[in-house]
Amino acid sequence: MSTLNGSCLCGNVQYSTLAAPLMTAVCHCSDCQKQSGSAFSVNVLVPTEGFEVEGRSLSSYASNGGSGLPVRRFFCSTCGSALYSAITTMPGLFAVKAGTLSDASALTPALHMFCASAQPWVAIDRTLTCYEQAVTE
Ligand SMILES: [Zn+2]
Ligand SMILES: [Zn+2]
């Protein structure tokens, strides 16, 4: 029984982990906007240890994130779904894209980051912690 599992749109890539997620963070950085084709990404932080991926079409692309250090974004090369990222500044964790989870309804976002580049028509819950750039501590 896995705590968390999901897949891409076409189902060629599936992932699961027994580890409990650490946190859910909403990212408004311009790279997440590009990759998701949307206004932000919702990232569920999970330990890399025990994170299992099965897939015939897993690809990745690395670019420098807001910190200037590489972010490697894993996606399905068949259907293009963004699945998870490995972030240099967060070793030992993957940022799983919440939209690919089989059930994301129980998630509770804890914070917003890169609010400086958020679209003005996106309503951000300002009762949560909002970082203008990356999470700094
Ligand atoms: Zn796919
Ligand atoms: Zn981002």
Side-chain angles (χ1 to χ4, degrees):
M1 191 188 83
S2 63
T3 303
L4 191 137
N5 62 78
S7 70
C8 62
L9 178 60
C10 75
N12 275 356
V13 182
Q14 311 208 335
Y15 60 81
S16 65
T17 179
L18 291 167
L22 280 77
M23 185 180 71
T24 301
V26 182
C27 186
H28 300 268
C29 83
S30 52
D31 287 3
C32 279
Q33 293 186 35
K34 281 282 186 195
Q35 197 207 15
S36 66
S38 184
F40 52 82
S41 67
V42 182
N43 298 304
V44 183
L45 300 183
V46 299
T48 55
E49 192 176 335
F51 188 82
E52 294 184 5
V53 185
E54 291 174 51
R56 302 187 289 282
S57 55
L58 187 69
S59 292
S60 71
Y61 176 78
S63 60
N64 288 339
S67 64
L69 294 169
V71 174
R72 180 165 290 280
R73 296 168 178 273
F74 292 86
F75 60 95
C76 174
S77 58
T78 300
C79 69
S81 299
L83 289 157
Y84 59 97
S85 299
I87 302 164
T88 303
T89 53
M90 291 195 277
L93 296 174
F94 284 141
V96 175
K97 304 299 177 183
T100 64
L101 291 170
S102 57
D103 182 6
S105 61
L107 297 177
T108 306
L111 61 86
H112 290 257
M113 52 196 284
F114 287 96
C115 291
S117 51
Q119 294 301 329
W121 37 263
V122 169
I124 295 174
D125 181 355
R126 293 282 174 180
T127 65
L128 300 177
T129 304
C130 297
Y131 294 91
E132 289 304 303
Q133 304 291 334
V135 176
T136 44
E137 60 267 28

